[in-house]
Amino acid sequence: MHSEPIRVLVTGAAGQIAYSLLFSIAKGDVFGKDQPIVLLLLDITPMLPVLEGVVMELQDCALPLLREIVPTDKEEVAFKDLDAAILVGSMPRKEGMERKDLLKANVAIFKSQGAALDEYAKKTVKVLVVGNPANTNCLIAAKSAPSIPKENFSCLTRLDHNRARSQVAMRCGVPATHVKNVIIWGNHSSTQYPDVHHCLVNMSGSELACFDAVKDDAWLKGEFIATVQQRGAAVIKARKLSSAMSAAKAICDHMRDIWTGTPEGEFISMGVYSTGNPYGVTEDLIYSFPVQIKDKSWKIVGGLNINDFSRTKMDTTASELIEERDTAVSFLAA
């Protein structure tokens, strides 16, 4: 048993993604089966009564690793001495809201939370941003926490990664675990580029390149990409609510990989700081790359061949991120 508990924050803790996420964290599925946890739960003041209900349920799960639960609406309480921060809470887009207004509201939130990380959290804290627009919110948080290394910040594109993996697996009639090394490039938005040029599929014991396994280039270069890009919208259309179960699972995958590393010969996708990347992507963005993780540090997978088809799509999503960043940074200065 690790004697020392780690301190883990989830924001938007009364929301529906958190409701699907907290049990997995508290049960030990993310940080390890023998790692005690102090859970800090932040939400806005009007949500505190709801949050109290979530706390009761966590207590009623009677979990061995959950040492303490701290529900709060105060950043100085929530961000104190953190080992991990999962920033789920953000301003959701309301009907008729301009994207710019959405950005402005979120810049305020993530500037404040970045400053709180800077002031109260451990300098080794690992920060995962989930709240949308996730890449740009992550960049604003990182810029607002100058004393914490930029490498400690990432945003969630694992849900897109898992969606891509699953689409290929269903098409090939194999379990999703038989598909590895799909890549999500760029923004967690409909401009993201799900790339299977380096993906391998285990078909009856031998690993095939994805294009050889699927044997339908038109699907892989067309409908497959569109399906993954639009999947979030498709779920909302069907459920009238955004993806919570699958988002929570992706958060668990992402944080577990940071904590315990990626398997040998495999890489996963996450939004990380682009400065110094080997693919000529514009610097000073949070952009999704293929990464491998060891000793809690990620490294962008280098040396992958990028064809013209891929390059065009990688550039399109980078352009959107540059525009988002520039708009957000202008609000930051205000």
Side-chain angles (χ1 to χ4, degrees), residues 148-175:
I148 295 170
K150 296 272 186 286
E151 293 70 49
N152 291 20
F153 288 83
S154 57
C155 84
L156 190 74
T157 55
R158 185 57 168 268
L159 177 51
D160 310 298
H161 179 98
N162 288 347
R163 285 165 171 165
R165 207 175 169 183
S166 186
Q167 287 296 318
V168 169
M170 289 188 295
R171 190 77 175 193
C172 295
V174 299

Side-chain angles (χ1 to χ4, degrees), residues 56-327:
M56 288 186 228
E57 283 205 71
L58 282 166
Q59 291 167 340
D60 298 349
C61 289
L63 295 161
L65 295 172
L66 188 54
R67 292 299 158 85
E68 195 187 342
I69 313 166
V70 183
T72 184
D73 57 355
K74 294 180 176 57
E75 287 183 342
E76 63 273 20
V77 175
F79 286 86
K80 187 97 186 89
D81 297 333
L82 292 181
D83 295 285
I86 303 171
L87 309 183
V88 180
S90 65
M91 169 71 83
R93 192 167 187 169
K94 305 221 167 62
E95 199 95 33
M97 193 183 219
E98 290 290 327
R99 192 171 173 79
K100 214 167 127 173
D101 298 331
L102 182 69
L103 261 177
K104 192 170 191 172
N106 279 301
V107 165
I109 294 168
F110 287 88
K111 179 183 182 177
S112 176
Q113 294 189 351
L117 283 163
D118 201 58
E119 190 172 345
Y120 303 112
K122 291 182 182 167
K123 299 308 171 197
T124 52
V125 65
K126 300 296 183 192
V127 183
L128 166 58
V129 177
V130 179
N132 284 319
N135 299 58
T136 299
N137 288 345
C138 183
L139 186 66
I140 294 301
K143 284 180 179 295
S144 305
S147 71
I148 295 170
K150 296 272 186 286
E151 293 70 49
N152 291 20
F153 288 83
S154 57
C155 84
L156 190 74
T157 55
R158 185 57 168 268
L159 177 51
D160 310 298
H161 179 98
N162 288 347
R163 285 165 171 165
R165 207 175 169 183
S166 186
Q167 287 296 318
V168 169
M170 289 188 295
R171 190 77 175 193
C172 295
V174 299
T177 46
H178 288 204
V179 179
K180 70 177 190 190
N181 298 355
V182 300
I183 301 167
I184 304 295
W185 298 98
N187 201 358
H188 173 64
S189 74
S190 59
T191 68
Q192 63 176 261
Y193 169 42
D195 176 6
V196 289
H197 287 90
H198 309 280
C199 165
L200 297 171
V201 184
N202 185 332
M203 302 277 278
S204 50
S206 60
E207 286 201 328
L208 295 179
C210 184
F211 279 86
D212 297 334
V214 171
K215 296 193 184 69
D216 187 343
D217 292 14
W219 181 76
L220 283 172
K221 289 183 155 183
E223 195 187 325
F224 160 74
I225 292 174
T227 298
V228 176
Q229 288 174 332
Q230 303 294 335
R231 188 68 159 187
V235 171
I236 290 176
K237 192 166 185 262
R239 276 197 86 220
K240 311 289 178 263
L241 290 164
S242 62
S243 355
M245 188 199 319
S246 53
K249 160 65 165 59
I251 291 166
C252 291
D253 290 346
H254 179 118
M255 283 314 264
R256 186 191 317 108
D257 284 346
I258 288 179
W259 237 251
T260 56
T262 47
E264 198 58 47
E266 278 191 47
F267 47 78
I268 52 98
S269 307
M270 57 193 231
V272 295
Y273 199 55
S274 65
T275 299
N277 77 84
Y279 294 103
V281 172
T282 306
E283 308 226 316
D284 198 37
L285 295 173
I286 297 282
Y287 186 100
S288 182
F289 289 97
V291 302
Q292 287 173 318
I293 304 169
K294 202 181 169 188
D295 302 326
K296 295 197 176 114
S297 292
W298 54 264
K299 200 164 145 291
I300 295 173
V301 176
L304 299 173
N305 190 39
I306 306 293
N307 63 20
D308 292 344
F309 177 84
S310 294
R311 176 55 66 187
T312 305
K313 292 197 163 357
M314 287 164 67
D315 289 348
T316 301
T317 190
S319 302
E320 182 182 56
L321 280 169
I322 291 163
E323 192 188 340
E324 267 186 36
R325 174 196 67 193
D326 293 349
T327 308

